[in-house]
Amino acid sequence: MEMNSKNTAPVGVFDSGVGGLTVAREIMRQLPNENLVYFGDTARVPYGSKSKNNIIRFSRQIIRFLQTKNVKAIVIACNTASALALETVEKEIDIPIIGVIVPGARAAVQETKNGMIGVAGTEATIRSETYTKVIKSMNPDAVVIGKPCPLFVPLVEEGFAKHKITEEVIDIYLSDMKKTDIDTMILGCTHYPLLRSRIIEYFGEKVHIVNPAYETAMDLKSILEKKGIANQSGKPAVYDFYVSDAAEKFTQFANTILPYDVAATKQINIEEY
Ligand code: DGL
């Protein structure tokens, strides 16, 4: 089969910062042939405390930047941007674009036995009720209990995922949810999969934990195949990393979570796009 440039073009992945690397990591695992251009908006992170208007503006700028790299598809790895901007920006571009909310919600709806689903995320994600709306569109009888857990993000970024302080913070945020009958919980923020084992420990076996990053990579695979734009060149994938600030810090963090040596990260001025 003739391979055209659309097939070998990279997939754009973006996030408010480093957290989206949990999604990039899943794409690298499940789609090892795909080239990636990752953008982390480290100058303007966190998105979780920002307004919808700004999150849409930031997302538009990043999409314009990624399009200069000729991406064939875009993954919004950030739950907050998926919750607040995807609906708007998907109408404005003519390449496939997906977020993490629909794949995560679908997995939870498939997994739950009693229809009671917990969602942990940023303030903006939980306030938007996007997870709730998407879950209810799939199962109108579902009960969704959302909880903002803003301190999880700095704890992960400080390298405190295994620290005992994290156990206390998990308890402060999630003790009310633990008292409910939820049998499924969505890790609705890019950083939370890095606390997955701590959260599993906290809830015990009765609660199934959904990582939307995993489901999103599966969705991307099926979209690229359906559209006939999957990369089957067999060449080693190329990964490029861009940020809007503090490239070195990003590279350090990336090297703690990616199964791949990130040699360098380029800094760009995202406000120019
Ligand atoms: N990437 C964000 C998310 O998944 C978390 C960090 C932030 O607030 O920007 O919602």
Side-chain angles (χ1 to χ4, degrees), residues 43-140:
R44 302 186 292 198
V45 70
Y47 283 10
S49 54
K50 306 247 161 42
S51 66
K52 180 170 178 162
N53 278 353
N54 270 323
I55 294 164
I56 291 173
R57 184 170 71 84
F58 298 164
S59 300
R60 281 186 176 133
Q61 287 177 318
I62 297 167
I63 289 166
R64 283 196 285 269
F65 164 71
L66 290 173
Q67 289 192 302
T68 68
K69 302 289 166 200
N70 295 317
V71 296
K72 63 184 175 188
I74 293 177
V75 176
I76 306 185
C78 180
N79 282 259
T80 308
S82 299
L84 290 126
L86 176 62
E87 203 188 350
T88 304
V89 297
E90 70 184 353
K91 298 187 189 107
E92 301 170 348
I93 58 171
D94 56 5
I95 54 170
I97 179 163
I98 60 169
V100 289
I101 307 260
V102 171
R106 194 192 315 114
V109 167
Q110 280 163 2
E111 196 57 47
T112 183
K113 302 269 185 298
N114 67 3
M116 293 197 60
I117 300 170
V119 181
T122 63
E123 295 276 2
T125 298
I126 300 303
R127 204 179 336 109
S128 75
E129 297 198 334
T130 307
Y131 267 112
T132 309
K133 288 173 205 153
V134 174
I135 289 169
K136 282 188 167 289
S137 74
M138 297 169 177
N139 174 3

Side-chain angles (χ1 to χ4, degrees), residues 150-214:
L151 285 177
F152 286 177
V153 168
L155 283 172
V156 166
E157 292 196 12
E158 281 300 313
F160 283 6
K162 294 197 170 79
H163 196 286
K164 65 177 181 332
I165 197 177
T166 301
E167 200 176 303
E168 230 169 281
V169 179
I170 289 175
D171 186 49
I172 291 167
Y173 284 143
L174 300 178
S175 59
D176 284 346
M177 202 184 279
K178 196 178 177 180
K179 287 181 206 135
T180 70
D181 288 329
I182 61 154
D183 68 353
T184 303
M185 180 181 164
I186 302 175
L187 302 177
C189 173
T190 46
H191 292 61
Y192 302 0
L194 298 168
L195 298 176
R196 188 169 178 270
S197 58
R198 305 299 302 270
I199 293 171
I200 289 175
E201 231 171 80
Y202 183 70
F203 279 105
E205 279 178 8
K206 74 175 187 88
V207 178
H208 178 87
I209 305 294
V210 171
N211 175 5
Y214 181 81

